[in-house]
Amino acid sequence: MSAVLNCNITFIGGGNMAQALIGGLINRGLPATRITVSDPVEEIRQLLLEKDVHVTDNNVAAIKDADIVVLAVKPQVLGLVLKPLQGLFDGKLIISIVAGAEIKTISALTGNDRVVRVMPNTPALVQTGAHGMFAYDVVEAKDRELATQVLAATGLTIWVNSEAQVDAVTAVSGSGPAYFFYMMESMIRAGKNMGLDEKVATALTLQTALGAAQMAITSSNSPAELRKNVTSPNGTTQAALEVFDRAQISQNIQTALAAAQKRSQELAQELSDSIK
């Protein structure tokens, strides 16, 4: 973390993910005075002022003295935001958390090849994110380390081997929280159907999800092995899992993630085409 503590970091866009990263960086020791956020929304700027960071609605002024620029805008406004800034990113590392924005698109809009593309996920808001990262070979090791330090402020960082794999990251972890929320919803509904109070069903479901995740993270056994360990022959768990198997839940999950990956690829192409 020491290297990034000496950097001036500008966020273009001050939404939830940017706020999560800002909070994480400050908690890890980056002085708030080294952070600048540019956002057109007055309410967001006022909220960020409470963190003692610099705020502005002027993107040119915001990036002037930045060592690192984090792009955190909606994909549909990326071109509008970056075209007026082309050529102003010399000497700066760009970290993009813009969904679907390929590195070639960012480079073309900024005139800078020092780009790290990141697919974050929403648990970053509670410092437990999972971030998939990629950069081309032109990005040096020190820049990769800086990007890692920025994202590690809110969770796990994983570098992938190709930009195409970012679409797989999107399917697994980017969209992944919704899959688990869906499972939680279903378990809570089932608990209610079996006579449990909604608060009781909710508390049991959420704590079970937390406990299972913590066990999987800390155990030397794989999730498959952990599942087998809690499945007694002819027991209650086996009865439930047999229903899952008959419904081909595993195959359906794999098909669902493939659909998410395909849509990620389509959105990237649509974004690229819209900016040309």
Side-chain angles (χ1 to χ4, degrees):
M1 188 69 186
S2 57
V4 82
L5 297 182
N6 296 317
C7 293
N8 294 323
I9 303 178
T10 288
F11 289 80
I12 299 183
N16 287 337
M17 197 62 68
Q19 291 175 36
L21 289 170
I22 290 165
L25 287 165
I26 292 173
N27 288 341
R28 290 204 170 194
L30 181 70
T33 53
R34 283 192 171 273
I35 300 174
T36 299
V37 185
S38 181
D39 197 286
V41 179
E42 173 67 20
E43 290 82 357
I44 290 178
R45 296 199 301 272
Q46 288 299 321
L47 181 65
L48 288 163
L49 273 176
E50 297 176 6
K51 297 181 183 291
D52 296 325
V53 304
H54 302 296
V55 298
T56 181
D57 61 358
N58 186 325
N59 291 335
V60 174
I63 68 173
K64 183 175 183 295
D65 297 319
D67 301 301
I68 301 171
V69 178
V70 181
L71 304 180
V73 300
K74 299 293 186 183
Q76 56 267 30
V77 301
L78 183 65
L80 293 174
V81 168
L82 290 185
K83 284 179 180 177
L85 304 178
Q86 189 168 36
L88 301 181
F89 288 88
D90 289 351
K92 306 178 192 304
L93 171 63
I94 299 172
I95 300 174
S96 172
I97 61 172
V98 181
E102 295 178 313
I103 291 175
K104 65 180 181 182
T105 301
I106 301 294
S107 295
L109 289 169
T110 60
N112 186 344
D113 291 330
R114 289 175 65 195
V115 179
V116 174
R117 182 181 175 187
V118 181
M119 182 63 236
N121 70 0
T122 53
L125 298 172
V126 289
Q127 312 298 302
T128 53
H131 310 305
M133 308 175 68
F134 177 76
Y136 288 119
D137 291 342
V138 68
V139 177
E140 298 179 358
K142 61 182 180 63
D143 283 340
R144 292 169 186 264
E145 178 57 26
L146 284 174
T148 296
Q149 291 179 14
V150 170
L151 273 298
T154 58
L156 176 72
T157 59
I158 298 286
W159 285 86
V160 296
N161 297 323
S162 70
E163 190 165 16
Q165 291 182 341
V166 174
D167 296 310
V169 171
T170 301
V172 173
S173 59
S175 299
Y179 314 152
F180 290 99
F181 297 147
Y182 186 95
M183 181 69 171
M184 292 174 196
E185 285 182 89
S186 300
M187 290 178 65
I188 292 167
R189 191 175 298 115
K192 289 173 61 181
N193 291 342
M194 291 183 287
L196 292 177
D197 178 81
E198 182 172 2
K199 289 184 178 179
V200 171
T202 299
L204 290 172
T205 296
L206 301 188
Q207 185 63 28
T208 299
L210 174 63
Q214 193 62 35
M215 283 183 67
I217 289 170
T218 59
S219 176
S220 59
N221 294 328
S222 69
E225 291 170 325
L226 291 172
R227 173 182 56 76
K228 292 175 183 176
N229 290 344
V230 297
T231 307
S232 301
N234 298 316
T236 58
T237 305
Q238 181 174 322
L241 293 177
E242 285 176 351
V243 174
F244 289 164
D245 286 342
R246 287 197 296 271
Q248 297 187 313
I249 297 298
S250 177
Q251 294 92 323
N252 287 334
I253 289 172
Q254 294 171 60
T255 300
L257 266 67
Q261 179 190 35
K262 182 174 183 291
R263 186 56 184 147
S264 177
Q265 295 165 342
E266 292 170 349
L267 289 171
Q269 187 59 53
E270 290 170 10
L271 177 61
S272 178
D273 292 342
S274 70
I275 293 174
K276 289 178 181 176

